[in-house]
Amino acid sequence: MNVNALSIDLEFWWCNEFLTNYLPHDREDGFRDSLRPIFAVLDAFDVKATFFVLGSVAEKYPEVVSEIHRDGHEIACHAYSHKPLYAMSRSEFEDELKKSLELLDDYNPVGFRAPSFSLNNGTRWAIGVLEKYGFRYDSSIFPVRTQLYGVPDAPVGIYRPSREDVTVHDPDGPIVEFPLSVLRIGTNIPVSGGFYLRALPKRFLSWGVGRIAARRPANIYVHPHDIYPGPPLLKVPFMSRLVTYHGVRTSLEKLIMLMARFPFMPMGALLDRMALLPPDAPVPAAPAAPLRLVGRDDPTLPPFSSPGLRRQPLDAVAHRYTGRTRKQVCETGDPDEVW
């Protein structure tokens, strides 16, 4: 069973393409409150993660980003405004990157994730821009077709995308790509997190992630608003409402279940451990998390700070997973695996 990558897209709840045309002018971000459930889970399981930080978040909440870094998590870049790559020119993207890197300068980010997973063959010019600004890896390609994003023909394992075609592995490519995880069963089924964490049944999610992790490291992500029901319910079309709000109140239990059953670590540290990054890349040397479950009464749980950002007691649902063991899935290698 492989150690897997866990990442959090650190952004505001309204950074959602399905809400863009329906947002109220005056809105509360609820940002700190939305982070507390995530940090309760990460702290309880001693898991370190990669935070793809939106530049506008770092600008408004620099102290939050600093605290995340002090806790041993990796800081990576998520651009500045959350505008998709296909809505920008190359020069506009460069301007966004420069602005974000100035705000994240203290953390030497080497990883990048495009807003809305918008790296595809139409925006492959972004690879050269990432190389220019010193990025070592990317996690923007989703090997599935959706209304908003996707590169269904891309490799499902870690690879180096060609500058001419992001579906082709180029051993000399400048950027390591860690695609979002999909389960290949005739077609590619996304099980990576986000909306899929909220929408998929818990047993299928556990089985799917386990099957991927038996072959290669899984790449799981979450947004704060995926597990925090605080944002207002906007009057939006049915599909936008489904994608935005469905499953928010049950997703925390699913995240706890994944933490209980699978080991996770930051993406940069995992790629470094796999010797896929240059030796001089400033990635955190975070160890793989031990597989253990703690609840609110566990004596090893650090004291909860109040009114600090990080720790608050987990919901009692965590106790449902105490003592469970992880089932390993032993399968042959994936023919799409590059490494």
Side-chain angles (χ1 to χ4, degrees):
M1 181 69 69
N2 287 288
V3 179
N4 309 291
L6 177 67
S7 60
I8 290 87
D9 288 359
L10 200 65
E11 60 191 50
F12 300 111
W13 63 264
W14 58 77
C15 293
N16 182 329
E17 297 301 310
F18 289 93
L19 299 181
T20 299
N21 297 324
Y22 308 96
L23 294 172
H25 180 71
D26 296 319
R27 52 186 182 261
E28 297 291 332
D29 63 43
F31 187 69
R32 286 180 173 273
D33 287 340
S34 72
L35 293 183
R36 290 192 174 100
I38 285 179
F39 279 96
V41 174
L42 294 179
D43 287 349
F45 289 96
D46 286 340
V47 170
K48 304 302 180 185
T50 295
F51 282 75
F52 288 100
V53 179
L54 200 66
S56 56
V57 168
E59 189 172 56
K60 186 172 183 179
Y61 293 103
E63 73 285 356
V64 172
V65 180
S66 178
E67 185 173 350
I68 290 170
H69 183 257
R70 287 198 305 270
D71 266 9
H73 302 285
E74 179 189 8
I75 302 297
C77 182
H78 197 32
Y80 178 81
S81 68
H82 208 269
K83 186 183 294 186
L85 295 177
Y86 48 73
M88 291 187 284
S89 66
R90 182 186 179 113
S91 62
E92 288 172 328
F93 178 52
E94 283 204 48
D95 289 342
E96 284 229 352
L97 269 190
K98 287 188 286 188
K99 193 170 184 178
S100 291
L101 289 174
E102 288 175 3
L103 293 163
L104 300 175
D105 184 60
D106 290 341
Y107 313 111
N108 298 312
V110 297
F112 178 79
R113 173 168 290 159
S116 301
F117 307 112
S118 50
L119 179 61
N120 53 38
N121 268 328
T123 58
R124 61 184 180 271
W125 47 261
I127 293 176
V129 180
L130 295 177
E131 179 188 19
K132 177 180 176 180
Y133 286 90
F135 288 97
R136 308 294 188 151
Y137 75 87
D138 175 79
S139 182
S140 304
I141 290 180
F142 219 136
V144 69
R145 172 63 65 200
T146 74
Q147 177 184 347
L148 189 62
Y149 55 76
V151 187
D153 297 329
V156 297
I158 300 167
Y159 73 110
R160 289 183 177 270
S162 164
R163 299 171 189 270
E164 286 71 40
D165 184 346
V166 300
T167 69
V168 175
H169 171 62
D170 178 1
D172 298 319
I175 300 291
V176 174
E177 178 64 36
F178 199 150
L180 284 302
S181 287
V182 297
L183 185 63
R184 178 160 287 179
I185 310 177
T187 187
N188 290 350
I189 301 174
V191 294
S192 308
F195 168 72
Y196 312 104
L197 173 76
R198 293 186 275 114
L200 291 173
K202 187 168 54 180
R203 291 182 66 180
F204 181 84
L205 187 68
S206 176
W207 173 78
V209 172
R211 180 166 173 172
I212 293 169
R215 300 178 174 190
R216 58 183 176 272
N219 184 0
I220 305 299
Y221 74 99
V222 67
H223 305 92
H225 51 79
D226 284 320
I227 62 174
Y228 175 67
L233 298 175
L234 303 181
K235 188 175 181 180
V236 297
F238 171 77
M239 185 56 66
S240 297
R241 185 168 67 251
L242 177 71
V243 173
T244 303
Y245 302 116
H246 178 71
V248 171
R249 295 186 181 276
T250 60
S251 55
L252 179 60
E253 177 176 352
K254 295 175 184 177
L255 182 62
I256 291 170
M257 177 270 295
L258 291 178
M259 295 297 100
R261 296 183 179 179
F262 305 103
F264 291 94
M265 67 189 302
M267 194 174 300
L270 178 56
L271 292 172
D272 186 54
R273 194 174 84 161
M274 296 171 71
L276 298 181
L277 298 183
D280 60 343
V283 296
L291 181 66
R292 69 181 184 92
L293 178 83
V294 296
R296 65 177 69 213
D297 300 321
D298 193 308
T300 66
L301 189 65
F304 297 131
S305 57
S306 179
L309 165 70
R310 292 175 293 122
R311 298 182 176 96
Q312 78 172 26
L314 290 176
D315 188 86
V317 71
H319 294 294
R320 298 178 191 175
Y321 301 100
T322 303
R324 290 194 181 183
T325 58
R326 191 172 70 244
K327 293 183 179 180
Q328 296 195 11
V329 182
C330 299
E331 297 186 10
T332 58
D334 194 313
D336 293 305
E337 195 69 42
V338 171
W339 301 102

PDB file of all heavy atoms in Angstrom, residues 127-156:
ATOM      1  N   ILE A 127       2.860  25.508 -19.029  1.00  0.00           N
ATOM      2  CA  ILE A 127       3.996  24.702 -18.578  1.00  0.00           C
ATOM      3  C   ILE A 127       5.284  25.507 -18.682  1.00  0.00           C
ATOM      4  O   ILE A 127       6.117  25.503 -17.766  1.00  0.00           O
ATOM      5  CB  ILE A 127       4.083  23.398 -19.401  1.00  0.00           C
ATOM      6  CG1 ILE A 127       2.879  22.508 -19.093  1.00  0.00           C
ATOM      7  CG2 ILE A 127       5.387  22.659 -19.093  1.00  0.00           C
ATOM      8  CD1 ILE A 127       2.817  21.242 -19.936  1.00  0.00           C
ATOM      9  N   GLY A 128       5.463  26.213 -19.795  1.00  0.00           N
ATOM     10  CA  GLY A 128       6.653  27.039 -19.943  1.00  0.00           C
ATOM     11  C   GLY A 128       6.713  28.167 -18.940  1.00  0.00           C
ATOM     12  O   GLY A 128       7.795  28.538 -18.462  1.00  0.00           O
ATOM     13  N   VAL A 129       5.563  28.724 -18.586  1.00  0.00           N
ATOM     14  CA  VAL A 129       5.530  29.794 -17.585  1.00  0.00           C
ATOM     15  C   VAL A 129       5.909  29.241 -16.214  1.00  0.00           C
ATOM     16  O   VAL A 129       6.670  29.859 -15.458  1.00  0.00           O
ATOM     17  CB  VAL A 129       4.141  30.458 -17.545  1.00  0.00           C
ATOM     18  CG1 VAL A 129       4.111  31.571 -16.493  1.00  0.00           C
ATOM     19  CG2 VAL A 129       3.764  31.013 -18.917  1.00  0.00           C
ATOM     20  N   LEU A 130       5.387  28.072 -15.869  1.00  0.00           N
ATOM     21  CA  LEU A 130       5.734  27.447 -14.589  1.00  0.00           C
ATOM     22  C   LEU A 130       7.230  27.166 -14.506  1.00  0.00           C
ATOM     23  O   LEU A 130       7.857  27.385 -13.469  1.00  0.00           O
ATOM     24  CB  LEU A 130       4.934  26.162 -14.397  1.00  0.00           C
ATOM     25  CG  LEU A 130       3.411  26.307 -14.262  1.00  0.00           C
ATOM     26  CD1 LEU A 130       2.753  24.948 -14.146  1.00  0.00           C
ATOM     27  CD2 LEU A 130       3.046  27.180 -13.066  1.00  0.00           C
ATOM     28  N   GLU A 131       7.794  26.679 -15.598  1.00  0.00           N
ATOM     29  CA  GLU A 131       9.243  26.433 -15.622  1.00  0.00           C
ATOM     30  C   GLU A 131      10.008  27.743 -15.421  1.00  0.00           C
ATOM     31  O   GLU A 131      10.980  27.794 -14.651  1.00  0.00           O
ATOM     32  CB  GLU A 131       9.636  25.795 -16.947  1.00  0.00           C
ATOM     33  CG  GLU A 131      11.131  25.536 -17.069  1.00  0.00           C
ATOM     34  CD  GLU A 131      11.534  25.081 -18.450  1.00  0.00           C
ATOM     35  OE1 GLU A 131      10.761  25.288 -19.411  1.00  0.00           O
ATOM     36  OE2 GLU A 131      12.644  24.521 -18.573  1.00  0.00           O
ATOM     37  N   LYS A 132       9.584  28.789 -16.079  1.00  0.00           N
ATOM     38  CA  LYS A 132      10.252  30.093 -15.990  1.00  0.00           C
ATOM     39  C   LYS A 132      10.314  30.602 -14.555  1.00  0.00           C
ATOM     40  O   LYS A 132      11.309  31.204 -14.140  1.00  0.00           O
ATOM     41  CB  LYS A 132       9.523  31.101 -16.879  1.00  0.00           C
ATOM     42  CG  LYS A 132      10.069  32.520 -16.813  1.00  0.00           C
ATOM     43  CD  LYS A 132       9.289  33.442 -17.735  1.00  0.00           C
ATOM     44  CE  LYS A 132       9.770  34.888 -17.616  1.00  0.00           C
ATOM     45  NZ  LYS A 132       9.006  35.789 -18.529  1.00  0.00           N
ATOM     46  N   TYR A 133       9.259  30.338 -13.786  1.00  0.00           N
ATOM     47  CA  TYR A 133       9.204  30.860 -12.421  1.00  0.00           C
ATOM     48  C   TYR A 133       9.612  29.823 -11.373  1.00  0.00           C
ATOM     49  O   TYR A 133       9.344  29.996 -10.188  1.00  0.00           O
ATOM     50  CB  TYR A 133       7.806  31.417 -12.143  1.00  0.00           C
ATOM     51  CG  TYR A 133       7.601  32.735 -12.859  1.00  0.00           C
ATOM     52  CD1 TYR A 133       7.075  32.774 -14.144  1.00  0.00           C
ATOM     53  CD2 TYR A 133       7.996  33.932 -12.278  1.00  0.00           C
ATOM     54  CE1 TYR A 133       6.928  33.970 -14.824  1.00  0.00           C
ATOM     55  CE2 TYR A 133       7.851  35.135 -12.953  1.00  0.00           C
ATOM     56  CZ  TYR A 133       7.316  35.146 -14.218  1.00  0.00           C
ATOM     57  OH  TYR A 133       7.182  36.342 -14.888  1.00  0.00           O
ATOM     58  N   GLY A 134      10.272  28.770 -11.805  1.00  0.00           N
ATOM     59  CA  GLY A 134      10.938  27.873 -10.872  1.00  0.00           C
ATOM     60  C   GLY A 134      10.096  26.790 -10.253  1.00  0.00           C
ATOM     61  O   GLY A 134      10.540  26.139  -9.292  1.00  0.00           O
ATOM     62  N   PHE A 135       8.907  26.519 -10.778  1.00  0.00           N
ATOM     63  CA  PHE A 135       8.094  25.443 -10.216  1.00  0.00           C
ATOM     64  C   PHE A 135       8.655  24.088 -10.646  1.00  0.00           C
ATOM     65  O   PHE A 135       9.155  23.925 -11.749  1.00  0.00           O
ATOM     66  CB  PHE A 135       6.640  25.592 -10.662  1.00  0.00           C
ATOM     67  CG  PHE A 135       5.935  26.743 -10.009  1.00  0.00           C
ATOM     68  CD1 PHE A 135       5.830  27.962 -10.649  1.00  0.00           C
ATOM     69  CD2 PHE A 135       5.395  26.607  -8.739  1.00  0.00           C
ATOM     70  CE1 PHE A 135       5.199  29.033 -10.052  1.00  0.00           C
ATOM     71  CE2 PHE A 135       4.761  27.670  -8.122  1.00  0.00           C
ATOM     72  CZ  PHE A 135       4.657  28.887  -8.777  1.00  0.00           C
ATOM     73  N   ARG A 136       8.551  23.129  -9.736  1.00  0.00           N
ATOM     74  CA  ARG A 136       9.098  21.792  -9.981  1.00  0.00           C
ATOM     75  C   ARG A 136       8.019  20.759 -10.280  1.00  0.00           C
ATOM     76  O   ARG A 136       8.286  19.769 -10.942  1.00  0.00           O
ATOM     77  CB  ARG A 136       9.904  21.320  -8.766  1.00  0.00           C
ATOM     78  CG  ARG A 136      10.968  22.302  -8.300  1.00  0.00           C
ATOM     79  CD  ARG A 136      12.068  22.479  -9.314  1.00  0.00           C
ATOM     80  NE  ARG A 136      13.165  23.281  -8.775  1.00  0.00           N
ATOM     81  CZ  ARG A 136      14.420  23.164  -9.145  1.00  0.00           C
ATOM     82  NH1 ARG A 136      14.756  22.280 -10.056  1.00  0.00           N
ATOM     83  NH2 ARG A 136      15.358  23.937  -8.626  1.00  0.00           N
ATOM     84  N   TYR A 137       6.822  20.990  -9.752  1.00  0.00           N
ATOM     85  CA  TYR A 137       5.747  20.045 -10.026  1.00  0.00           C
ATOM     86  C   TYR A 137       4.418  20.771 -10.134  1.00  0.00           C
ATOM     87  O   TYR A 137       4.260  21.912  -9.690  1.00  0.00           O
ATOM     88  CB  TYR A 137       5.678  18.940  -8.961  1.00  0.00           C
ATOM     89  CG  TYR A 137       5.083  19.350  -7.625  1.00  0.00           C
ATOM     90  CD1 TYR A 137       3.706  19.296  -7.413  1.00  0.00           C
ATOM     91  CD2 TYR A 137       5.890  19.756  -6.570  1.00  0.00           C
ATOM     92  CE1 TYR A 137       3.158  19.659  -6.197  1.00  0.00           C
ATOM     93  CE2 TYR A 137       5.351  20.107  -5.352  1.00  0.00           C
ATOM     94  CZ  TYR A 137       3.981  20.053  -5.164  1.00  0.00           C
ATOM     95  OH  TYR A 137       3.434  20.411  -3.958  1.00  0.00           O
ATOM     96  N   ASP A 138       3.474  20.083 -10.738  1.00  0.00           N
ATOM     97  CA  ASP A 138       2.135  20.610 -10.959  1.00  0.00           C
ATOM     98  C   ASP A 138       1.125  19.532 -10.599  1.00  0.00           C
ATOM     99  O   ASP A 138       1.420  18.338 -10.695  1.00  0.00           O
ATOM    100  CB  ASP A 138       1.975  21.022 -12.429  1.00  0.00           C
ATOM    101  CG  ASP A 138       0.560  21.470 -12.748  1.00  0.00           C
ATOM    102  OD1 ASP A 138       0.220  22.622 -12.410  1.00  0.00           O
ATOM    103  OD2 ASP A 138      -0.210  20.669 -13.314  1.00  0.00           O
ATOM    104  N   SER A 139      -0.055  19.968 -10.180  1.00  0.00           N
ATOM    105  CA  SER A 139      -1.144  19.021  -9.921  1.00  0.00           C
ATOM    106  C   SER A 139      -2.446  19.646 -10.414  1.00  0.00           C
ATOM    107  O   SER A 139      -3.316  20.005  -9.624  1.00  0.00           O
ATOM    108  CB  SER A 139      -1.233  18.674  -8.431  1.00  0.00           C
ATOM    109  OG  SER A 139      -2.251  17.715  -8.206  1.00  0.00           O
ATOM    110  N   SER A 140      -2.539  19.791 -11.721  1.00  0.00           N
ATOM    111  CA  SER A 140      -3.680  20.487 -12.334  1.00  0.00           C
ATOM    112  C   SER A 140      -4.440  19.635 -13.334  1.00  0.00           C
ATOM    113  O   SER A 140      -5.531  20.028 -13.758  1.00  0.00           O
ATOM    114  CB  SER A 140      -3.194  21.748 -13.067  1.00  0.00           C
ATOM    115  OG  SER A 140      -2.466  22.608 -12.228  1.00  0.00           O
ATOM    116  N   ILE A 141      -3.882  18.515 -13.727  1.00  0.00           N
ATOM    117  CA  ILE A 141      -4.502  17.716 -14.786  1.00  0.00           C
ATOM    118  C   ILE A 141      -5.415  16.649 -14.174  1.00  0.00           C
ATOM    119  O   ILE A 141      -4.995  15.869 -13.315  1.00  0.00           O
ATOM    120  CB  ILE A 141      -3.429  17.077 -15.688  1.00  0.00           C
ATOM    121  CG1 ILE A 141      -2.751  18.170 -16.520  1.00  0.00           C
ATOM    122  CG2 ILE A 141      -4.029  16.007 -16.583  1.00  0.00           C
ATOM    123  CD1 ILE A 141      -1.682  17.681 -17.459  1.00  0.00           C
ATOM    124  N   PHE A 142      -6.654  16.664 -14.638  1.00  0.00           N
ATOM    125  CA  PHE A 142      -7.660  15.704 -14.167  1.00  0.00           C
ATOM    126  C   PHE A 142      -7.988  14.778 -15.339  1.00  0.00           C
ATOM    127  O   PHE A 142      -8.573  15.217 -16.328  1.00  0.00           O
ATOM    128  CB  PHE A 142      -8.918  16.440 -13.719  1.00  0.00           C
ATOM    129  CG  PHE A 142      -9.563  15.870 -12.493  1.00  0.00           C
ATOM    130  CD1 PHE A 142     -10.013  16.699 -11.482  1.00  0.00           C
ATOM    131  CD2 PHE A 142      -9.737  14.500 -12.356  1.00  0.00           C
ATOM    132  CE1 PHE A 142     -10.611  16.181 -10.348  1.00  0.00           C
ATOM    133  CE2 PHE A 142     -10.336  13.970 -11.230  1.00  0.00           C
ATOM    134  CZ  PHE A 142     -10.781  14.822 -10.212  1.00  0.00           C
ATOM    135  N   PRO A 143      -7.603  13.500 -15.273  1.00  0.00           N
ATOM    136  CA  PRO A 143      -7.817  12.584 -16.412  1.00  0.00           C
ATOM    137  C   PRO A 143      -9.275  12.126 -16.535  1.00  0.00           C
ATOM    138  O   PRO A 143      -9.604  10.947 -16.459  1.00  0.00           O
ATOM    139  CB  PRO A 143      -6.892  11.400 -16.095  1.00  0.00           C
ATOM    140  CG  PRO A 143      -5.989  11.873 -15.012  1.00  0.00           C
ATOM    141  CD  PRO A 143      -6.785  12.881 -14.235  1.00  0.00           C
ATOM    142  N   VAL A 144     -10.173  13.081 -16.718  1.00  0.00           N
ATOM    143  CA  VAL A 144     -11.595  12.790 -16.833  1.00  0.00           C
ATOM    144  C   VAL A 144     -12.235  13.959 -17.579  1.00  0.00           C
ATOM    145  O   VAL A 144     -11.691  15.058 -17.592  1.00  0.00           O
ATOM    146  CB  VAL A 144     -12.235  12.600 -15.431  1.00  0.00           C
ATOM    147  CG1 VAL A 144     -12.271  13.915 -14.662  1.00  0.00           C
ATOM    148  CG2 VAL A 144     -13.627  11.997 -15.527  1.00  0.00           C
ATOM    149  N   ARG A 145     -13.360  13.738 -18.205  1.00  0.00           N
ATOM    150  CA  ARG A 145     -14.055  14.810 -18.911  1.00  0.00           C
ATOM    151  C   ARG A 145     -15.257  15.273 -18.101  1.00  0.00           C
ATOM    152  O   ARG A 145     -16.115  14.474 -17.736  1.00  0.00           O
ATOM    153  CB  ARG A 145     -14.522  14.341 -20.286  1.00  0.00           C
ATOM    154  CG  ARG A 145     -15.418  15.327 -21.024  1.00  0.00           C
ATOM    155  CD  ARG A 145     -14.683  16.636 -21.315  1.00  0.00           C
ATOM    156  NE  ARG A 145     -13.574  16.431 -22.240  1.00  0.00           N
ATOM    157  CZ  ARG A 145     -12.559  17.270 -22.376  1.00  0.00           C
ATOM    158  NH1 ARG A 145     -12.510  18.367 -21.627  1.00  0.00           N
ATOM    159  NH2 ARG A 145     -11.592  17.028 -23.241  1.00  0.00           N
ATOM    160  N   THR A 146     -15.287  16.550 -17.755  1.00  0.00           N
ATOM    161  CA  THR A 146     -16.439  17.151 -17.087  1.00  0.00           C
ATOM    162  C   THR A 146     -16.836  18.409 -17.841  1.00  0.00           C
ATOM    163  O   THR A 146     -16.157  18.839 -18.785  1.00  0.00           O
ATOM    164  CB  THR A 146     -16.118  17.529 -15.621  1.00  0.00           C
ATOM    165  OG1 THR A 146     -15.275  18.696 -15.605  1.00  0.00           O
ATOM    166  CG2 THR A 146     -15.428  16.393 -14.892  1.00  0.00           C
ATOM    167  N   GLN A 147     -17.928  19.014 -17.398  1.00  0.00           N
ATOM    168  CA  GLN A 147     -18.398  20.249 -18.017  1.00  0.00           C
ATOM    169  C   GLN A 147     -17.379  21.375 -17.875  1.00  0.00           C
ATOM    170  O   GLN A 147     -17.287  22.255 -18.734  1.00  0.00           O
ATOM    171  CB  GLN A 147     -19.715  20.659 -17.356  1.00  0.00           C
ATOM    172  CG  GLN A 147     -20.291  21.980 -17.846  1.00  0.00           C
ATOM    173  CD  GLN A 147     -21.534  22.374 -17.080  1.00  0.00           C
ATOM    174  OE1 GLN A 147     -22.102  21.571 -16.348  1.00  0.00           O
ATOM    175  NE2 GLN A 147     -21.971  23.619 -17.240  1.00  0.00           N
ATOM    176  N   LEU A 148     -16.590  21.341 -16.815  1.00  0.00           N
ATOM    177  CA  LEU A 148     -15.713  22.456 -16.478  1.00  0.00           C
ATOM    178  C   LEU A 148     -14.247  22.200 -16.815  1.00  0.00           C
ATOM    179  O   LEU A 148     -13.506  23.129 -17.136  1.00  0.00           O
ATOM    180  CB  LEU A 148     -15.849  22.771 -14.979  1.00  0.00           C
ATOM    181  CG  LEU A 148     -15.193  24.028 -14.446  1.00  0.00           C
ATOM    182  CD1 LEU A 148     -15.782  25.272 -15.110  1.00  0.00           C
ATOM    183  CD2 LEU A 148     -15.364  24.111 -12.920  1.00  0.00           C
ATOM    184  N   TYR A 149     -13.777  20.966 -16.732  1.00  0.00           N
ATOM    185  CA  TYR A 149     -12.354  20.674 -16.871  1.00  0.00           C
ATOM    186  C   TYR A 149     -12.148  19.240 -17.304  1.00  0.00           C
ATOM    187  O   TYR A 149     -13.095  18.457 -17.382  1.00  0.00           O
ATOM    188  CB  TYR A 149     -11.624  20.929 -15.547  1.00  0.00           C
ATOM    189  CG  TYR A 149     -12.215  20.171 -14.370  1.00  0.00           C
ATOM    190  CD1 TYR A 149     -11.996  18.810 -14.202  1.00  0.00           C
ATOM    191  CD2 TYR A 149     -12.999  20.824 -13.420  1.00  0.00           C
ATOM    192  CE1 TYR A 149     -12.543  18.115 -13.140  1.00  0.00           C
ATOM    193  CE2 TYR A 149     -13.555  20.142 -12.356  1.00  0.00           C
ATOM    194  CZ  TYR A 149     -13.325  18.791 -12.220  1.00  0.00           C
ATOM    195  OH  TYR A 149     -13.884  18.103 -11.171  1.00  0.00           O
ATOM    196  N   GLY A 150     -10.890  18.902 -17.525  1.00  0.00           N
ATOM    197  CA  GLY A 150     -10.545  17.508 -17.743  1.00  0.00           C
ATOM    198  C   GLY A 150      -9.694  17.261 -18.970  1.00  0.00           C
ATOM    199  O   GLY A 150      -9.810  17.944 -19.993  1.00  0.00           O
ATOM    200  N   VAL A 151      -8.794  16.271 -18.842  1.00  0.00           N
ATOM    201  CA  VAL A 151      -7.963  15.781 -19.946  1.00  0.00           C
ATOM    202  C   VAL A 151      -8.092  14.260 -19.913  1.00  0.00           C
ATOM    203  O   VAL A 151      -7.240  13.567 -19.346  1.00  0.00           O
ATOM    204  CB  VAL A 151      -6.491  16.217 -19.792  1.00  0.00           C
ATOM    205  CG1 VAL A 151      -5.689  15.848 -21.033  1.00  0.00           C
ATOM    206  CG2 VAL A 151      -6.383  17.713 -19.514  1.00  0.00           C
ATOM    207  N   PRO A 152      -9.164  13.715 -20.482  1.00  0.00           N
ATOM    208  CA  PRO A 152      -9.466  12.287 -20.299  1.00  0.00           C
ATOM    209  C   PRO A 152      -8.401  11.342 -20.837  1.00  0.00           C
ATOM    210  O   PRO A 152      -8.318  10.200 -20.376  1.00  0.00           O
ATOM    211  CB  PRO A 152     -10.801  12.112 -21.035  1.00  0.00           C
ATOM    212  CG  PRO A 152     -10.887  13.264 -21.975  1.00  0.00           C
ATOM    213  CD  PRO A 152     -10.169  14.393 -21.306  1.00  0.00           C
ATOM    214  N   ASP A 153      -7.582  11.795 -21.780  1.00  0.00           N
ATOM    215  CA  ASP A 153      -6.559  10.922 -22.359  1.00  0.00           C
ATOM    216  C   ASP A 153      -5.210  11.028 -21.658  1.00  0.00           C
ATOM    217  O   ASP A 153      -4.244  10.395 -22.078  1.00  0.00           O
ATOM    218  CB  ASP A 153      -6.374  11.250 -23.841  1.00  0.00           C
ATOM    219  CG  ASP A 153      -7.637  10.987 -24.651  1.00  0.00           C
ATOM    220  OD1 ASP A 153      -8.392  10.070 -24.268  1.00  0.00           O
ATOM    221  OD2 ASP A 153      -7.873  11.711 -25.636  1.00  0.00           O
ATOM    222  N   ALA A 154      -5.132  11.820 -20.611  1.00  0.00           N
ATOM    223  CA  ALA A 154      -3.863  11.985 -19.898  1.00  0.00           C
ATOM    224  C   ALA A 154      -3.523  10.727 -19.111  1.00  0.00           C
ATOM    225  O   ALA A 154      -4.413   9.962 -18.715  1.00  0.00           O
ATOM    226  CB  ALA A 154      -3.943  13.178 -18.955  1.00  0.00           C
ATOM    227  N   PRO A 155      -2.243  10.464 -18.869  1.00  0.00           N
ATOM    228  CA  PRO A 155      -1.872   9.344 -17.997  1.00  0.00           C
ATOM    229  C   PRO A 155      -2.497   9.495 -16.612  1.00  0.00           C
ATOM    230  O   PRO A 155      -2.710  10.611 -16.134  1.00  0.00           O
ATOM    231  CB  PRO A 155      -0.342   9.456 -17.924  1.00  0.00           C
ATOM    232  CG  PRO A 155       0.054  10.192 -19.166  1.00  0.00           C
ATOM    233  CD  PRO A 155      -1.056  11.161 -19.423  1.00  0.00           C
ATOM    234  N   VAL A 156      -2.785   8.373 -15.985  1.00  0.00           N
ATOM    235  CA  VAL A 156      -3.386   8.422 -14.654  1.00  0.00           C
ATOM    236  C   VAL A 156      -2.320   8.417 -13.554  1.00  0.00           C
ATOM    237  O   VAL A 156      -2.631   8.682 -12.388  1.00  0.00           O
ATOM    238  CB  VAL A 156      -4.367   7.257 -14.443  1.00  0.00           C
ATOM    239  CG1 VAL A 156      -5.525   7.369 -15.423  1.00  0.00           C
ATOM    240  CG2 VAL A 156      -3.659   5.907 -14.570  1.00  0.00           C
TER     241      VAL A 156
END
